[in-house]
Amino acid sequence: MNFSTALPTFVITLREGVEAALVVGIVLALLKKAKQSRLNSWVYAGVAVGIAVSALIGVLFSVVIKALGQINPQYTSVVEPGLEGVFSVLAIAMLSWMLIWMTKQARFMKAQVEGAVTEALTQNGNAGWGVFSLILIAVVREGFETVLFIAANFQQGLIPTIGALGGLLVAATIGVLLFKLGVKINIRQFFQVMGVLLVLIVAGLVVSALKHFDDAFGNLALSSRASESLCFYYEHFTKVHSCILGPIVWNTSNILPDDQFPGIILKSLFGYREHLYIVQAVGYVLFLLTVGGLYFRSLGGETPKPNKSVSLFQK
């Protein structure tokens, strides 16, 4: 059983889970300050329902994927990698956007959450529902990104889900350390390190997405005998077993195979492949230059604060 496939979802869920835990912790601290701790149950309910909704979305995705694959069994070998490619693109877009957006908005998180809680508390009888909605949206937003990533790798079975559960557990532990036990953690540095890891993980997802589309086009070409029109490099590079990815850049199968340690770890986390083609290499580099560049630029735009460690969110 290949548990290395759990590592990317662990990292993603850990980062997104800590973001959600920060929102939950801020809300609980604000409710305590406002002497409205009676609304804490609405916070916990929002967390529970948010996790349940995220899991339900994941189940629905898997059902839809299996249903589409069984509509015409003859084209299952085309539909499955095609869907993996589509979900990979969605996951790449969502994770990249949220990474950059959240990095820019992180310094305003407490003020935004405080404003939302204050507004909810002014609603009198609907205050509980206001707090519940705030927490629910925060949890589902983070959970949806993880669900998309898992859907993009649905052929790997339940192992990515185990990684997601592990990341969620560690994120909850960090939340308890911060807001219950008062442990100081350099949360800014944590997010910076996790952000760099996430950029590399999503860059690896670019390589995987291109391979999924290549498999789909290749299988379609074989099934329809239309290799010349569908596979751009079929005739021009007959020694390259790729449909649309072009000539091979390297073959390290004898030096660092991607199905054995440590290659399998590098493959799961950073998109390493023992067979890498030119389109994959170009896509990987372009992603790092664009999204990676935007991420590091957003880090440079942060306003330094005297105290970078976080225990409780206080004025």
Side-chain angles (χ1 to χ4, degrees):
M1 189 174 290
N2 181 15
F3 283 98
S4 65
T5 57
L7 293 176
T9 49
F10 173 82
V11 173
I12 291 173
T13 309
L14 175 59
R15 188 187 186 283
E16 308 304 330
V18 169
E19 287 183 4
L22 289 178
V23 174
V24 171
I26 292 171
V27 172
L28 290 174
L30 291 173
L31 290 177
K32 182 178 180 181
K33 184 177 180 180
K35 298 181 180 180
Q36 296 291 332
S37 296
R38 61 183 178 82
L39 298 176
N40 285 1
S41 58
W42 290 92
V43 175
Y44 300 133
V47 172
V49 174
I51 293 174
V53 170
S54 298
L56 180 60
I57 293 173
V59 172
L60 290 176
F61 272 169
S62 64
V63 170
V64 170
I65 290 170
K66 289 181 180 179
L68 290 175
Q70 294 174 355
I71 289 176
N72 193 336
Q74 179 183 356
Y75 290 102
T76 299
S77 61
V78 176
V79 173
E80 287 192 351
L83 286 174
E84 284 184 288
V86 170
F87 280 115
S88 294
V89 171
L90 292 175
I92 291 167
M94 180 68 73
L95 288 168
S96 300
W97 180 77
M98 286 301 298
L99 174 63
I100 296 170
W101 184 82
M102 281 303 299
T103 301
K104 291 181 177 180
Q105 297 296 318
R107 67 190 116 160
F108 308 117
M109 178 184 289
K110 181 178 182 293
Q112 292 172 343
V113 174
E114 185 173 13
V117 172
T118 301
E119 182 180 353
L121 293 178
T122 60
Q123 296 175 0
N124 298 324
N126 294 323
W129 284 109
V131 171
F132 173 84
S133 301
L134 173 64
I135 298 298
L136 177 64
I137 292 173
V139 174
V140 172
R141 183 184 64 195
E142 309 301 344
F144 183 68
E145 297 170 29
T146 306
V147 167
L148 270 182
F149 186 86
I150 294 175
N153 298 275
F154 65 89
Q155 285 187 340
Q156 295 177 354
L158 293 176
I159 302 302
T161 305
I162 295 176
L165 293 174
L168 186 64
L169 180 61
V170 175
T173 302
I174 291 176
V176 171
L177 290 174
L178 287 174
F179 298 104
K180 290 294 184 182
L181 303 181
V183 176
K184 290 186 177 181
I185 297 175
N186 193 324
I187 202 70
R188 180 177 298 176
Q189 190 175 61
F190 169 83
F191 277 120
Q192 289 178 351
V193 172
M194 297 302 291
V196 172
L197 282 175
L198 191 57
V199 167
L200 294 174
I201 288 172
V202 180
L205 193 57
V206 171
V207 175
S208 300
L210 290 170
K211 185 63 170 69
H212 294 322
F213 286 124
D214 180 66
D215 290 341
F217 272 92
N219 293 334
L220 181 60
L222 290 175
S223 63
S224 63
R225 297 181 180 179
S227 57
E228 291 186 5
S229 60
L230 292 174
C231 294
F232 311 136
Y233 296 95
Y234 189 86
E235 293 294 336
H236 297 83
F237 302 96
T238 54
K239 293 183 180 180
V240 178
H241 299 289
S242 167
C243 182
I244 61 176
L245 299 181
I248 197 167
V249 174
W250 72 49
N251 181 358
T252 56
S253 57
N254 294 327
I255 302 173
L256 188 63
D258 59 19
D259 60 350
Q260 298 177 16
F261 183 86
I264 194 170
I265 303 297
L266 296 175
K267 177 181 178 181
S268 297
L269 275 177
F270 308 126
Y272 166 77
R273 294 293 187 278
E274 61 184 30
H275 299 112
L276 187 72
Y277 298 89
I278 190 168
V279 174
Q280 290 175 306
V282 170
Y284 189 89
V285 172
L286 284 177
F287 180 87
L288 290 180
L289 290 177
T290 54
V291 175
L294 289 172
Y295 172 67
F296 283 107
R297 190 178 303 172
S298 66
L299 289 179
E302 289 189 43
T303 303
K305 296 181 180 179
N307 183 12
K308 295 181 180 180
S309 297
V310 174
S311 55
L312 286 175
F313 285 83
Q314 298 176 340
K315 289 186 176 180

